[in-house]
Amino acid sequence: MKILISVDIEGVAGVFHSQQVRAGNPEYERARRLMTEEANAAIAGAFDGGATEVWVNDSHGDFRNMPPDLLDERAQVIQGKPRYLSMVAGVELGVDGVCMVGYHSRAGGRGILAHTINSFAFAGIEINGEPQGEAGIYGTLAGEYGAPVLMASGDDAFIAENRPLFPHATFVQTKRATGQNSGISLSPAQSCAAIREGVSAALAARGQARPLLPARKPLAVVLRTQTPALADLFCQWPAFERSGATELRFDAPSMEAAVRILNCCSAMSAMLR
């Protein structure tokens, strides 16, 4: 059994503030180690549950947060960018399921450090009329490769948003959101123990899970930007239709195509920082 573990940082126990998730801040150095510890808990849970191969995908920011020498040596690590499949790179290797560790609420959500893909550029994303966060977007991309989401961890707002998308997945709550930058967290040790147990249980119940697929194609994507200047920039792309001061639309033949387009926009936004 082959398992991919995608690891973000905002949903990790003890992480509440942007200074903890951005390189160059002293607090980031501690937070990246908390992220690595939760990744190791998930790796251990996967092997407890019968996995024979495990890949761990560094899925935050520049995708090179977790020190490889601190990761469980039984897993192979996927780091660095750009890469076409982004937060679920590795699904193309023929995995049997995906675990999402340290994930967070979507842009506009009530969760801790809520955003979707790029908090500077994107105010919200809708696909086929439904608001989407990273779990929904990348869970669908994994589904296009036949891999169901088996387990996910994060705060209570993240879980409430995504349980309907993944009804057979095992969810682990690491903290409770009381604001954008505040909440009540498990200790790192408690969170790691719960993640290890959750991953193991999820693998045992994997027969119930089904890949998430879009209701219809082509996908109708609506991107709301943080400023009109960002919409000006993105609409240099001829396939985009400007539908408002901070809104644009485009169609995509698949979630993989939508992800690649959105990540190009994210990269373009750097020129306006």
Side-chain angles (χ1 to χ4, degrees), residues 229-240 242 248 265 268 271:
L230 285 159
D232 294 342
L233 174 63
F234 299 157
C235 284
Q236 299 298 312
W237 200 316
F240 290 177
R242 187 77 170 262
L248 57 91
C265 290
M268 289 168 64
M271 70 175 293

Side-chain angles (χ1 to χ4, degrees), residues 7 28-44 56 58 64-77 79 192:
V7 189
Y28 165 76
E29 293 302 320
R30 179 56 185 147
R32 71 193 293 206
R33 283 162 174 77
L34 296 176
M35 177 186 182
T36 307
E37 290 166 7
E38 292 200 358
N40 281 337
I43 295 166
V56 59
D58 192 323
R64 50 187 181 91
N65 304 276
M66 297 183 291
D69 58 313
L70 299 183
L71 283 165
D72 188 321
E73 63 184 15
R74 293 175 293 176
Q76 298 178 69
V77 62
Q79 291 184 300
C192 287

Side-chain angles (χ1 to χ4, degrees), residues 27-113:
E27 288 188 73
Y28 165 76
E29 293 302 320
R30 179 56 185 147
R32 71 193 293 206
R33 283 162 174 77
L34 296 176
M35 177 186 182
T36 307
E37 290 166 7
E38 292 200 358
N40 281 337
I43 295 166
F47 282 109
D48 292 346
T52 55
E53 292 185 73
V54 173
W55 289 271
V56 59
N57 178 321
D58 192 323
S59 297
H60 173 68
D62 60 6
F63 296 167
R64 50 187 181 91
N65 304 276
M66 297 183 291
D69 58 313
L70 299 183
L71 283 165
D72 188 321
E73 63 184 15
R74 293 175 293 176
Q76 298 178 69
V77 62
I78 300 167
Q79 291 184 300
K81 68 183 343 179
R83 55 193 193 216
Y84 293 159
L85 303 183
S86 191
M87 296 178 74
V88 291
V91 291
E92 74 280 11
L93 300 172
V95 302
D96 298 295
V98 174
C99 298
M100 297 176 166
V101 173
Y103 270 57
H104 52 80
S105 178
R106 63 178 176 253
R110 296 289 298 274
I112 296 163
L113 296 169

Side-chain angles (χ1 to χ4, degrees), residues 237-262:
W237 200 316
F240 290 177
E241 175 191 352
R242 187 77 170 262
S243 51
T246 58
E247 185 176 281
L248 57 91
R249 300 168 182 267
F250 64 90
D251 290 339
S254 65
M255 188 60 81
E256 180 173 343
V259 163
R260 291 170 68 170
I261 292 168
L262 290 167

